[in-house]
Amino acid sequence: MSQGWLAGPGSALSGEVVVPGDKSVSHRAVMLAAIAEGSSRVSGFLEGEDTRATARILGQLGVRIETPSANERLVHGVGLRGLRACAEPLDCGNAGTGMRLLAGLLAGQGIESVLTGDASLSRRPMGRVIVPLTRMGARIDSEPGGLPPIRIHANNALQGIDYELPVASAQVKSAVLLAGLCAKGETTIREPRSTRDYTERMLAAFGWPVEFRPGFARLAGGHCLRATDIQVPADFSSAAFFLVAATLVPGSDLRLRRVGMNPRRTGLLEALRLMGADIRIERPEEQGGEPVADLRVRHSRLHGINLPAALVPDMIDEVPVFFVAAAQAEGTTRVTGATELRVKESDRIATMCASLQRLGANIVETPDGAVIRGSRLSGGEVDSHGDHRVAMSLAVAAQRASGEVGIADCANVGTSFPGFVELARSVGFGLQATG
Ligand code: S3P
């Protein structure tokens, strides 16, 4: 049996929290450093299973990566075309970001590679990266339906493309841009809604000319990446569980330190504020090209809203915990435009609705979201379906339940938030692992 949790009302949340490094930034930092000229130090690296899998794969591809201390990597870049073939499959674990970005990185490398993943990743769509990479000239095989494992054939003659993304996805955008580094000519991306722009920002930090603005990115092949040091900010998506919990638990007053505040990530902040949350931004500054700030959150009563669909891409990973906030708000909240949640580590609309219903919430699943009426939550037995963000969202819900909540299948929290249970307990969560 994989690890479960027992969660229930704790005390008011107080004190200070430093959440681990950003997952998106950590993946990209080691990938770009790996194909740069020279050595780059990555500080604040997320020691999660997803990002460690990416670092391990880069090692299999011939990149020397040292770990001078926890949360730090020293990456000795091999240059743009310096990756070496590895006869073994490259195991991305649970990480959609790892697999999709590596597919782009490897597409034009001139080496054969096979990317595999765990049971959850093996059900996630890779056609969305295979289609544009194939248009660039790559040859990629997959299981039927575009599922992993994917085999990338040796090719060093990619062509740039002008690609309009059918879905707003930073992973797809990034895969195409990374392939564009090794392609002839220009690669252009147009997005239906702007998504996180870490790849673009980081390429610029490594000295690669890239033109970008919300919804648009363009670069040309034929340059080189120059090693640079990267400071990874704390992950807003991990901070989100504390923002919602402290908002919901009466008497709470919590500070989150040095949280990444990239505007393409902070949609939840805006959504919670529309509902009446009390979250203040303190000491904002730039840290390695990314905005960071401390967040002070105090308990407040929330009211339901129609969540603007335009906010969804900026809070795509926070929608599960937003459902919890809505389930405790007065009145009705409607979430639309969130179909992408159905192809995450689990079908997050289905898993969150089923679990919250088991706790007595009045929540109705819709094709692209949910209608949630604020109500009292009871104790009960729920299942995260091996989805880290569902597990942590349910732990937040349990803080407002009238009894104990057993949450099954939580081991995957280690993919994005190692140490969550201990950190949450240290500020007042009622939460323990049950082995
Ligand atoms: C990510 C982009 C998002 C997000 C994922 C990380 C990234 O996925 O859900 O957790 O690092 O680019 P999509 O771009 O597929 O929406």
Side-chain angles (χ1 to χ4, degrees), residues 23-24 28 97 169-171 196 316-317 344:
K23 184 152 73 72
S24 294
R28 287 159 171 81
T97 309
S169 166
Q171 295 180 354
R196 62 192 72 183
I316 190 69
D317 293 335
K344 295 294 179 188

Short mmCIF file of all heavy atoms in Angstrom, two decimals, residues 23-24 28 97 169-171 196 316-317 344, ligand 1:
data_model
loop_
_atom_site.label_atom_id
_atom_site.label_comp_id
_atom_site.label_asym_id
_atom_site.label_seq_id
_atom_site.Cartn_x
_atom_site.Cartn_y
_atom_site.Cartn_z
N LYS A 23 9.14 24.11 -9.66
CA LYS A 23 9.34 22.91 -10.48
C LYS A 23 9.62 23.28 -11.93
O LYS A 23 10.55 22.75 -12.54
CB LYS A 23 8.08 22.04 -10.36
CG LYS A 23 8.15 20.71 -11.07
CD LYS A 23 7.25 19.68 -10.39
CE LYS A 23 5.77 19.91 -10.61
NZ LYS A 23 5.32 19.60 -11.98
N SER A 24 8.82 24.18 -12.48
CA SER A 24 9.01 24.56 -13.89
C SER A 24 10.40 25.15 -14.12
O SER A 24 11.07 24.84 -15.10
CB SER A 24 7.97 25.62 -14.28
OG SER A 24 6.68 25.09 -14.26
N ARG A 28 13.77 23.54 -16.32
CA ARG A 28 14.37 24.31 -17.42
C ARG A 28 15.82 24.68 -17.12
O ARG A 28 16.66 24.72 -18.02
CB ARG A 28 13.54 25.58 -17.67
CG ARG A 28 12.19 25.28 -18.34
CD ARG A 28 11.23 26.42 -18.12
NE ARG A 28 10.00 26.33 -18.88
CZ ARG A 28 8.94 25.59 -18.54
NH1 ARG A 28 8.97 24.84 -17.46
NH2 ARG A 28 7.84 25.60 -19.29
N THR A 97 6.12 17.67 -17.64
CA THR A 97 7.03 18.74 -18.07
C THR A 97 8.35 18.14 -18.54
O THR A 97 8.88 18.51 -19.59
CB THR A 97 7.31 19.72 -16.91
OG1 THR A 97 6.06 20.14 -16.36
CG2 THR A 97 8.08 20.92 -17.38
N SER A 169 -0.57 25.84 -23.77
CA SER A 169 0.30 24.93 -23.02
C SER A 169 1.74 25.43 -23.06
O SER A 169 2.36 25.50 -24.13
CB SER A 169 0.22 23.52 -23.60
OG SER A 169 1.29 22.74 -23.10
N ALA A 170 2.26 25.75 -21.89
CA ALA A 170 3.67 26.18 -21.81
C ALA A 170 4.60 25.03 -22.13
O ALA A 170 5.70 25.24 -22.64
CB ALA A 170 3.96 26.70 -20.40
N GLN A 171 4.13 23.82 -21.84
CA GLN A 171 4.99 22.67 -22.13
C GLN A 171 5.17 22.48 -23.63
O GLN A 171 6.28 22.23 -24.11
CB GLN A 171 4.39 21.41 -21.51
CG GLN A 171 4.36 21.47 -19.99
CD GLN A 171 3.77 20.24 -19.35
OE1 GLN A 171 3.25 19.36 -20.04
NE2 GLN A 171 3.81 20.17 -18.04
N ARG A 196 2.95 30.45 -19.06
CA ARG A 196 4.19 30.80 -18.36
C ARG A 196 5.36 30.89 -19.35
O ARG A 196 5.47 30.07 -20.26
CB ARG A 196 4.47 29.81 -17.22
CG ARG A 196 4.67 28.39 -17.65
CD ARG A 196 4.65 27.43 -16.47
NE ARG A 196 3.31 27.29 -15.94
CZ ARG A 196 2.99 26.56 -14.88
NH1 ARG A 196 3.93 25.96 -14.18
NH2 ARG A 196 1.75 26.45 -14.46
N ILE A 316 -3.45 27.23 -13.59
CA ILE A 316 -3.85 25.90 -14.05
C ILE A 316 -3.55 24.82 -13.01
O ILE A 316 -4.36 23.91 -12.80
CB ILE A 316 -3.20 25.58 -15.43
CG1 ILE A 316 -3.80 24.31 -16.04
CG2 ILE A 316 -1.69 25.50 -15.36
CD1 ILE A 316 -5.22 24.45 -16.48
N ASP A 317 -2.44 24.93 -12.30
CA ASP A 317 -2.11 23.90 -11.30
C ASP A 317 -2.79 24.16 -9.96
O ASP A 317 -2.71 23.33 -9.05
CB ASP A 317 -0.59 23.83 -11.11
CG ASP A 317 0.10 23.31 -12.37
OD1 ASP A 317 -0.55 22.60 -13.17
OD2 ASP A 317 1.28 23.63 -12.57
N LYS A 344 -4.12 16.12 -16.70
CA LYS A 344 -2.97 16.32 -15.80
C LYS A 344 -2.61 14.97 -15.15
O LYS A 344 -3.00 13.93 -15.65
CB LYS A 344 -3.30 17.39 -14.76
CG LYS A 344 -3.53 18.78 -15.37
CD LYS A 344 -2.26 19.33 -15.96
CE LYS A 344 -2.47 20.70 -16.58
NZ LYS A 344 -1.30 21.15 -17.32
C1 S3P B 1 4.20 23.51 -16.84
C2 S3P B 1 3.11 23.90 -17.57
C3 S3P B 1 1.73 23.51 -17.22
C4 S3P B 1 1.61 23.02 -15.79
C5 S3P B 1 2.72 22.07 -15.42
C6 S3P B 1 4.08 22.72 -15.60
C7 S3P B 1 5.54 23.91 -17.31
O1 S3P B 1 1.32 22.48 -18.09
O2 S3P B 1 0.37 22.39 -15.58
O3 S3P B 1 2.58 21.67 -14.07
O4 S3P B 1 6.52 23.81 -16.54
O5 S3P B 1 5.65 24.33 -18.47
P1 S3P B 1 0.73 22.84 -19.56
O6 S3P B 1 1.67 23.78 -20.18
O7 S3P B 1 0.64 21.55 -20.30
O8 S3P B 1 -0.62 23.43 -19.28
#
